[in-house]
Amino acid sequence: MHEIIEVPVVLVSAATAEIIDIFHEYVKPKMCPVLSPFCKKLTGINQTVINQSRSFVEVWKDLETWIEEKRNLSETGINSENEVIKSLCFVTDGPWDFKKFLAKESRYNNMDFPSMCVQFCNLRRRFCNFYGVKRVNIQGMLKNLGQEFDGTPHSGISDSRNIANIVCTMVRDGAVLDNNEVVDINSIYTA
């Protein structure tokens, strides 16, 4: 059983290829609240952090509020970046985060699949097509760009920051990162 135990989002400006802000919270699993030794070793997250965390539904509501605040600040011209967030494109390292993990988490919590995540950018696919390389993971993308992984692999926030760095480099190199994957929301609740 896989549950989401971390919600990291790094907001990147497509106009400036810079990181604007970060949302990061840990989540207390609903079905299996005690982390396995494998999970703790893989992610670097300890049980104390998880015990002090809130439910996925609460954290997701905070993420939605955070995104709305970013949109509202940009529309009123108050944000320090002085740009308008007209559209939002989630970028993930492959299709699994949304198509598998977020889909299952939505089902576990009896919530609708988040509409803002139905379409997203699969960075692995976009990266390979843009640079003409074979399929690579985050470390492989960074290596192709002459960069090194910063942080702990499989830590959500470390992975997200490294993905953001890849996105910034790709934007500076002229890539357009738009939606290239769709979640079949009808299959989420029938599977």
Side-chain angles (χ1 to χ4, degrees):
M1 164 113 22
H2 292 95
E3 291 180 82
I4 293 175
I5 58 173
E6 189 175 9
V7 177
V9 176
V10 179
L11 184 61
V12 174
S13 166
T16 63
E18 295 177 334
I19 294 173
I20 296 172
D21 204 355
I22 296 173
F23 176 93
H24 180 235
E25 290 225 22
Y26 293 102
V27 174
K28 184 182 289 188
K30 181 178 181 178
M31 310 288 265
C32 299
V34 178
L35 298 180
S36 70
F38 172 80
C39 183
K40 289 187 268 190
K41 183 177 180 182
L42 180 70
T43 64
I45 301 170
N46 66 50
Q47 190 65 47
T48 303
V49 168
I50 292 302
N51 291 346
Q52 296 169 352
S53 300
R54 296 176 303 132
S55 73
F56 175 78
V57 172
E58 293 170 305
V59 171
W60 196 265
K61 284 180 185 174
D62 283 354
L63 172 62
E64 289 175 332
T65 300
W66 180 80
I67 289 170
E68 270 311 302
E69 287 172 356
K70 297 298 168 194
R71 284 185 169 158
N72 291 338
L73 288 175
S74 70
E75 288 171 3
T76 59
I78 297 172
N79 70 338
S80 60
E81 296 78 30
N82 202 20
E83 64 181 278
V84 176
I85 300 172
K86 295 178 183 173
S87 63
L88 183 66
C89 175
F90 281 94
V91 179
T92 65
D93 175 37
W96 312 278
D97 289 336
F98 284 3
K99 287 186 171 184
K100 184 175 180 181
F101 300 118
L102 184 57
K104 284 184 178 182
E105 198 70 37
S106 297
R107 195 170 58 218
Y108 294 154
N109 287 287
N110 296 316
M111 61 183 263
D112 291 336
F113 187 86
S115 60
M116 66 181 169
C117 300
V118 170
Q119 295 183 40
F120 62 97
C121 178
N122 175 339
L123 183 62
R124 286 187 191 209
R125 181 189 295 172
R126 183 70 71 217
F127 185 93
C128 293
N129 290 340
F130 184 73
Y131 291 109
V133 297
K134 293 181 181 178
R135 184 176 168 194
V136 290
N137 59 15
I138 296 172
Q139 281 101 340
M141 287 184 260
L142 291 165
K143 184 177 180 182
N144 273 284
L145 297 173
Q147 300 173 20
E148 291 185 15
F149 191 93
D150 183 27
T152 304
H154 303 292
S155 153
I157 191 61
S158 292
D159 286 353
S160 295
R161 287 177 188 205
N162 283 282
I163 288 169
N165 289 334
I166 294 165
V167 166
C168 289
T169 301
M170 289 182 70
V171 168
R172 285 191 293 270
D173 287 349
V176 174
L177 285 102
D178 53 2
N179 296 318
N180 63 0
E181 291 264 355
V182 177
V183 176
D184 178 5
I185 56 174
N186 293 323
S187 69
I188 293 171
Y189 301 100
T190 57

